[in-house]
Amino acid sequence: ERGAEPRAPLAPYAPPARPTRTIVYGSHQRQQKDIYEPKTAVEEQPLVLFVHGGAWRMGSHKRVQSKPVHFNQKNIYFASTGYRVLPDTPVEDQARDVGLALQALIAQADPLGFDAENVILMGHSSGAHLAALVATDPQYAGDAFGAIKGVVLLDGAGYDVAKNMKDAPFERKRVYEDAFGILPQRHKALSPVTHIGGKDAPNWLALYVADRAVSKTQAELLVSGLKDAESAAQTAAIPDTDHALMNREIGTEAGAAQTRAIDAFLAKILN
């Protein structure tokens, strides 16, 4: 979903890493993902699969900033997936695309060299909603669902669609109506909180901008439900950032707070 514009100029970034390879998983130009492989890996290592944001209608899997370099330096594979978007592709099929991307990755785990039992799904904004939906509703990832060891959510606010739309000001409500329509049953089906208690991913970290009330409310709602369903889940408030910088500054000095929170989470759950 859309958030506040950055409050300060963007911090400088290192030159973006070049993907080691690109994998196509469908016939549409957006159905592809880039893989960034750590140069020093000598055995199977975990993989982070990133889902970009963009209000379910824009964004690019190419905009990864410092994340590949940061995770590769920790011997973690990094992948960033594209998916089809509005107005041509409804949210249901966007989630299916993310699931297909995960399935295609798992099918190629051996030649790529990553550990198919240690995959982290990470998403920002609307990508956080898609990641959470895929990680709570197994219909999207199919046989690859069990590969999801953990989920990292970056300032998402769409975990309970109906509540968000009820409480939203006009502009945000319009974005959500474009994505989810007006039918309550569709809102329910596309809300990750609806599916909690079935077959959920086991480990969760939901980060939110400390002064963004809607993200805080939605993250706490999701995590509370996951805890009640006996998943290991936690929230983390990130101060001195905004909706865009939360994602863009991962792996940089300016993004130390969110980077430390993510690194600590991964160190705790990965074998």
Side-chain angles (χ1 to χ4, degrees):
E1 74 287 351
R2 292 170 182 160
E5 292 298 318
R7 295 191 296 267
L10 295 179
Y13 300 104
R18 292 186 178 182
T20 309
R21 66 188 80 197
T22 296
I23 297 175
V24 174
Y25 67 89
S27 59
H28 193 278
Q29 63 181 356
R30 281 184 168 268
Q31 290 175 307
Q32 57 179 275
K33 52 190 177 292
D34 288 339
I35 314 296
Y36 302 81
E37 302 176 45
K39 296 179 181 179
T40 58
V42 295
E43 58 184 16
E44 291 184 342
Q45 300 292 342
L47 179 142
V48 169
L49 175 59
F50 181 71
V51 185
H52 68 79
W56 299 277
R57 67 170 49 251
M58 65 187 94
S60 171
H61 73 288
K62 297 289 185 182
R63 297 173 185 168
V64 292
Q65 296 88 29
S66 298
K67 289 186 282 292
V69 171
H70 175 75
F71 290 113
N72 284 176
Q73 287 176 343
K74 294 182 173 294
N75 277 339
I76 296 174
Y77 285 71
F78 185 83
S80 180
T81 187
Y83 53 91
R84 295 167 296 163
V85 296
L86 296 171
D88 299 325
T89 304
V91 172
E92 292 89 340
D93 288 339
Q94 295 179 29
R96 290 188 182 97
D97 277 3
V98 174
L100 286 171
L102 178 60
Q103 291 174 43
L105 270 175
I106 298 305
Q108 300 184 57
D110 286 342
L112 287 172
F114 71 88
D115 184 353
E117 295 183 357
N118 276 309
V119 174
I120 306 300
L121 201 54
M122 176 185 292
H124 171 245
S125 191
S126 55
H129 162 264
L130 293 172
L133 185 60
V134 170
T136 52
D137 189 346
Q139 69 166 305
Y140 296 108
D143 292 342
F145 185 89
I148 306 173
K149 184 69 171 288
V151 186
V152 176
L153 306 175
L154 306 171
D155 209 44
Y159 312 131
D160 186 329
V161 173
K163 178 173 176 54
N164 195 326
M165 293 180 70
K166 179 182 177 182
D167 299 340
F170 174 76
E171 182 179 358
R172 191 170 79 234
K173 186 173 183 180
R174 184 175 60 184
V175 171
Y176 272 68
E177 285 185 351
D178 285 348
F180 300 102
I182 61 173
L183 298 177
Q185 59 266 40
R186 188 164 179 242
H187 299 166
K188 182 177 180 180
L190 291 173
S191 295
V193 296
T194 299
H195 306 286
I196 291 173
K199 188 178 180 182
D200 307 316
N203 301 289
W204 296 73
L205 173 64
L207 289 82
Y208 62 89
V209 173
D211 60 0
R212 189 169 182 243
V214 64
S215 298
K216 179 179 187 292
T217 298
Q218 290 274 314
E220 290 177 344
L221 185 66
L222 177 74
V223 165
S224 176
L226 288 164
K227 285 182 175 179
D228 288 345
E230 299 185 351
S231 290
Q234 62 189 91
T235 60
I238 305 301
D240 303 321
T241 190
D242 64 26
H243 182 69
L245 297 181
M246 163 79 82
N247 171 52
R248 291 176 181 168
E249 293 183 339
I250 291 171
T252 71
E253 183 178 352
Q258 59 265 44
T259 304
R260 283 195 300 264
I262 293 167
D263 288 349
F265 173 73
L266 296 184
K268 181 178 179 181
I269 71 168
L270 293 175
N271 296 331

